Amino acid sequence: MKWQYVWGMMILVAMAGAAGCTQEEAPAPDLRSPALPGQQIVAIGNVTGQGQQLGGVLTTGTIDTITVRTGLVPGAKAVSMENISVVYADAVRTETLAPVGGYRGLPGQGAWGILGIDSEAGPTNNRLEDHEEFVIQINPKASIMPGQMFTIVLRPLYGKPLTLRRMAPSAILAEKNIVGSV
């Protein structure tokens, strides 16, 4: 009886040791926002705002540009960013933003642009395809104040739009500010 206990413990120790040596890594977390039925594009990761300090005081800054990383919903068809419309709205105004020339580059006030593409598949184009992530920057005409709520809508030609409802942080930094979901 005593030997059976010892053998049983040795087998359990060996199994526990083998389980820890499988070289399998945990899957990377999916940072995509939940998609609605019929939606083709989703936000990936945090939505950030680039701040501007007023008078050197961090807590009175404003956000001038918003950066959103987008990707396709798994199984969705490619989306041409040349046919997308971008709308910014807050409690005071609603504006449809114009794309920058060629769709790529830093946007001026009242515009949006593609800053970069991660994992670009195939030749350079403005089509969001499977496994690609487009980094889009939005520059509304008016700056966003601390604690201000706003909405950004990315509407592709087909399918439901991606709607992001966000709130600026109460203290805006000159660097990246994570704008929280509402």
Side-chain angles (χ1 to χ4, degrees), residues 37-50:
Q39 193 172 336
Q40 294 179 288
I41 56 176
V42 292
I44 301 172
N46 292 321
V47 176
T48 60
Q50 183 70 32

Side-chain angles (χ1 to χ4, degrees), residues 144-163:
I144 300 168
M145 304 305 289
Q148 181 177 340
M149 292 190 342
F150 60 92
T151 302
I152 295 171
V153 179
L154 296 138
R155 183 179 305 276
L157 190 57
Y158 302 104
K160 291 189 177 176
L162 169 61
T163 302

Side-chain angles (χ1 to χ4, degrees), residues 54-78:
L54 300 176
V57 180
L58 292 176
T59 57
T60 60
T62 59
I63 291 177
D64 295 326
T65 60
I66 313 280
T67 304
V68 180
R69 182 177 293 272
T70 61
L72 285 179
V73 171
K77 293 182 180 178

Side-chain angles (χ1 to χ4, degrees), residues 26-105:
D30 189 3
L31 301 175
R32 295 175 187 263
S33 61
L36 299 173
Q39 193 172 336
Q40 294 179 288
I41 56 176
V42 292
I44 301 172
N46 292 321
V47 176
T48 60
Q50 183 70 32
Q52 178 180 6
Q53 292 176 291
L54 300 176
V57 180
L58 292 176
T59 57
T60 60
T62 59
I63 291 177
D64 295 326
T65 60
I66 313 280
T67 304
V68 180
R69 182 177 293 272
T70 61
L72 285 179
V73 171
K77 293 182 180 178
V79 172
S80 173
M81 298 306 279
E82 295 175 5
N83 295 326
I84 199 166
S85 65
V86 178
V87 176
Y88 167 85
D90 59 30
V92 177
R93 71 192 50 81
T94 298
E95 60 181 297
T96 301
L97 305 174
V100 299
Y103 296 91
R104 295 184 187 219

